[in-house]
Amino acid sequence: MWTRQHKQRNTGRLIIPSLCVLFLTYFGFHAYHGEFGIYSKYRLEARAAELQAQLDAVKARRIDFERRVQLMHEGTLEKDMLDEQARKALNLSQPDEITIMLPAPTK
């Protein structure tokens, strides 16, 4: 009767731990760099802050425009002042008028 004796190898013991390390590395990488990962969260928060700043600027401009429109209602603005603003915007004047150009205010 023949008996076969073989030496125990240690490579079989390393297969499962190495596969676990590979899976953890793969999922760990994508948990940080993936589309819904941690790094994407920080980029999304930065973009949200940037868009909020733009929204605040647009709201401030809108409030300014609404205030200026409110000044143009009947009875709150003099006719000559409205005429002056219209001529300035359209760049029109009469031949007998003197135009004095002032520099635009800086903000």
Side-chain angles (χ1 to χ4, degrees):
M1 180 187 282
W2 290 87
T3 59
R4 184 178 266 185
Q5 295 185 9
H6 61 282
K7 189 177 181 181
Q8 290 285 342
R9 294 184 182 155
N10 290 334
T11 57
R13 294 180 184 164
L14 296 177
I15 291 174
I16 291 178
S18 62
L19 287 175
C20 289
V21 166
L22 287 174
F23 281 120
L24 288 175
T25 303
Y26 175 79
F27 289 117
F29 176 81
H30 288 288
Y32 186 76
H33 291 288
E35 184 179 351
F36 300 106
I38 296 169
Y39 183 66
S40 295
K41 176 185 172 191
Y42 294 132
R43 285 189 303 173
L44 185 64
E45 288 174 353
R47 179 76 173 141
E50 178 184 323
L51 290 175
Q52 185 64 39
Q54 285 181 348
L55 178 65
D56 293 340
V58 168
K59 282 184 178 180
R61 283 185 60 204
R62 179 176 181 213
I63 290 171
D64 183 48
F65 285 140
E66 285 177 353
R67 182 187 55 81
R68 290 174 64 187
V69 167
Q70 191 70 21
L71 289 174
M72 289 186 189
H73 285 290
E74 187 65 36
T76 60
L77 184 67
E78 297 175 9
K79 299 286 184 190
D80 61 337
M81 191 174 198
L82 182 61
D83 183 54
E84 175 187 341
Q85 291 293 325
R87 289 175 187 271
K88 182 178 176 184
L90 297 174
N91 200 18
L92 296 173
S93 63
Q94 298 294 331
D96 60 344
E97 293 179 339
I98 299 174
T99 305
I100 301 173
M101 301 299 285
L102 298 175
T106 59
K107 291 184 178 182

